[in-house]
Amino acid sequence: MPGKSTLPFASLSLVWGIAILGSGMVSAAEPPEASGPTPPKLTSEQLIEKLGADEFLLREQAETEIMQRGREILPLLQEARTSPDPEIRLRANTLYEILSDQFRRKSFQDFIAKQPGVDLPGWKRFQERHGDTTETRKLYVSMLESQWDLLVAIETRPQTIDYMVFQRANKLREELYGPGQVQITEGSAAAMLHATSYTDIRISLPSMTQIQFLLAAPQITASLQDPERSAPLMSVFDSWLLENMKETRFTEEMQYIVLTTCLREGIKSGRLLARELLTKRASPNSFGQFSSVNVTQQMMYSMLAIAKLGDREDIDFLDKYLQDDTKVTLPSVQGDQFTTLLKDVALVAVLHLAGEDPKDFGFPRITTDPNYLYNIRSIGFSTEEQRAAAFEKWEKKREQIPPMK
């Protein structure tokens, strides 16, 4: 701007330091000059106008005074960010970012400490679903730190959520699987799941497809396994799963991804998805890394998920599969007579739910698996005699188990 000094902002401390030193060079013997009347305090509007003053020191002085004002000056700074005066526009933008960050961090600290009068955007909606504990508040703060605009949009511009989710999930996926392998924060993942878990907010298939890649992020699985802070994140995941099941937003492929995530991480709500998959006898779309997963394998994982995530009440649900002679297609060694039928997997599942060890019922190769409960290649029998004996023993044991209510 013509007539305005172009000294950089960083020179403020030096300029003021010189001014202070210069004023301090008066002899100690000299009495201080009598001060005149205190000039009237400038209004916030006047201070912002002063950001465009011709003199550099006046502009810097205005900045200093604005930094000392409260959060009520933020709306004026926001408006000034579009000022026709480039000096005002530049300084207002810088001040707005600095003050917003300061006030936001202070609000976050007070919010976690449950100080009265702190209202964060979207908290009421989140609290109604997930409760109000210190850990829940910490998770919500981390969500705001990572995805502030997204959470604000849920309350103010829900029609933009689908586009925002697609763009942000795609970017996170590129960062996670790209050359840099940038870590995804727990807050980012939780915010994305939260934003796509409401039936009154439209979410398209492309957006849901982007979301599925976040489920395999190591940071998310680590958080779900952390007993000290997993409860709030687990609650967010449960809501996301149940609401999207209700809205039938999951593709067959995504159902399988979510199922195996629940099975691997021990997420109890995955039991409901496993029941639905068994009932529908659905198979994932044949493309990408999931092309080798056929319908019988998916049903196999569903049964194991029910065994791992369910309880004794699920025994009755699995009973009907004890008659299913469908062969499960699994890699095998040529000449090996070991076979796996769906009813073998169902038997292993009900035995586990009943608190029994499949080895005691004649499964010759059964071995456990920390992620999927049992190694899928170890479920089955080498002869029909072994199979018949195992089922006969279960029938006798089943008679001793009282019916579930």
Side-chain angles (χ1 to χ4, degrees):
M1 180 174 296
K4 293 181 181 177
S5 170
T6 57
L7 286 174
F9 295 170
S11 63
L12 174 61
S13 58
L14 177 60
V15 171
W16 282 109
I18 294 173
I20 292 170
L21 287 174
S23 64
M25 292 173 65
V26 181
S27 170
E30 295 181 20
E33 295 182 7
S35 59
T38 303
K41 186 177 181 180
L42 296 179
T43 65
S44 295
E45 290 83 355
Q46 290 172 326
L47 282 176
I48 290 177
E49 184 178 353
K50 196 175 174 181
L51 290 175
D54 289 338
E55 296 182 29
F56 173 75
L57 288 181
L58 290 179
R59 301 198 299 272
E60 293 287 289
Q61 184 182 24
E63 275 201 4
T64 301
E65 292 187 41
I66 288 173
M67 289 291 292
Q68 296 171 355
R69 296 290 170 100
R71 65 180 67 237
E72 65 276 0
I73 203 170
L74 284 177
L76 294 175
L77 286 171
Q78 170 71 359
E79 185 179 347
R81 296 170 80 182
T82 58
S83 170
D85 187 321
E87 187 76 25
I88 293 178
R89 190 166 63 245
L90 178 61
R91 289 175 179 266
N93 188 67
T94 302
L95 287 167
Y96 181 85
E97 296 295 337
I98 293 173
L99 288 175
S100 294
D101 184 66
Q102 289 181 357
F103 294 141
R104 191 175 292 177
R105 290 183 182 278
K106 180 63 168 61
S107 294
F108 288 165
Q109 293 171 359
D110 292 344
F111 174 76
I112 292 175
K114 297 188 177 182
Q115 296 294 329
V118 181
D119 185 24
L120 297 181
W123 167 244
K124 182 179 179 182
R125 180 192 288 253
F126 190 82
Q127 179 190 18
E128 288 173 352
R129 272 194 177 178
H130 309 295
D132 186 3
T133 66
T134 298
E135 290 304 315
T136 303
R137 288 180 173 239
K138 286 181 179 179
L139 175 62
Y140 195 68
V141 165
S142 70
M143 291 164 62
L144 284 170
E145 288 175 334
S146 301
Q147 300 288 346
W148 175 279
D149 292 343
L150 180 65
L151 296 179
V152 170
I154 294 175
E155 308 301 319
T156 59
R157 305 184 309 281
Q159 70 278 9
T160 66
I161 293 299
D162 184 53
Y163 177 77
M164 294 177 71
V165 166
F166 179 83
Q167 294 293 331
R168 293 170 187 231
N170 185 52
K171 184 175 184 296
L172 288 173
R173 181 171 66 88
E174 290 176 352
E175 291 176 347
L176 176 63
Y177 298 107
Q181 295 186 329
V182 178
Q183 304 296 305
I184 296 175
T185 66
E186 176 184 283
S188 275
M192 304 295 270
L193 295 176
H194 176 63
T196 54
S197 65
Y198 287 92
T199 57
D200 59 339
I201 296 178
R202 175 185 171 276
I203 303 296
S204 64
L205 176 58
S207 295
M208 291 300 294
T209 302
Q210 292 296 333
I211 287 287
Q212 72 186 27
F213 291 98
L214 302 181
L215 301 181
Q219 305 78 25
I220 308 309
T221 57
S223 296
L224 288 171
Q225 293 172 353
D226 187 338
E228 294 185 1
R229 58 193 181 96
S230 64
L233 181 60
M234 194 76 77
S235 179
V236 172
F237 185 93
D238 287 349
S239 293
W240 175 79
L241 172 59
L242 298 177
E243 291 301 320
N244 283 294
M245 282 179 59
K246 187 189 305 180
E247 289 296 294
T248 62
R249 288 173 176 164
F250 293 147
T251 62
E252 301 296 348
E253 176 194 357
M254 192 166 188
Q255 284 179 330
Y256 178 75
I257 293 172
V258 175
L259 173 69
T260 52
T261 298
C262 292
L263 178 55
R264 186 179 64 245
E265 306 304 329
I267 301 173
K268 294 294 186 181
S269 54
R271 162 181 170 266
L272 299 178
L273 179 58
R275 275 173 163 255
E276 181 176 292
L277 286 171
L278 277 178
T279 301
K280 292 167 62 177
R281 296 178 67 94
S283 62
N285 296 326
S286 296
F287 61 87
Q289 67 188 90
F290 305 99
S291 59
S292 63
V293 182
N294 56 37
V295 60
T296 55
Q297 287 182 33
Q298 185 168 352
M299 293 183 70
M300 187 180 199
Y301 280 115
S302 296
M303 292 178 186
L304 292 177
I306 292 174
K308 182 176 180 179
L309 308 174
D311 52 38
R312 290 169 66 92
E313 293 183 3
D314 290 301
I315 292 177
D316 290 340
F317 175 79
L318 291 172
D319 265 346
K320 56 177 141 326
Y321 298 102
L322 294 174
Q323 311 301 322
D324 196 327
D325 291 319
T326 305
K327 186 175 180 179
V328 180
T329 304
L330 294 170
S332 60
V333 178
Q334 187 175 6
D336 190 354
Q337 300 302 310
F338 189 83
T339 58
T340 302
L341 308 182
L342 279 179
K343 68 180 185 181
D344 301 340
V345 186
L347 179 56
V348 165
V350 297
L351 288 173
H352 182 82
L353 291 168
E356 301 291 336
D357 186 345
K359 288 183 179 179
D360 296 336
F361 284 73
F363 281 86
R365 300 184 185 180
I366 194 77
T367 56
T368 58
D369 183 282
N371 293 321
Y372 303 114
L373 192 62
Y374 294 102
N375 185 323
I376 61 172
R377 297 187 186 185
S378 71
I379 301 173
F381 299 93
S382 299
T383 67
E384 283 303 315
E385 289 75 17
Q386 291 176 342
R387 181 172 286 115
F391 277 83
E392 182 179 352
K393 187 172 183 178
W394 164 246
E395 286 301 320
K396 293 179 181 179
K397 184 67 180 180
R398 184 73 170 87
E399 295 174 357
Q400 303 171 19
I401 300 176
M404 301 292 110
K405 295 182 180 180

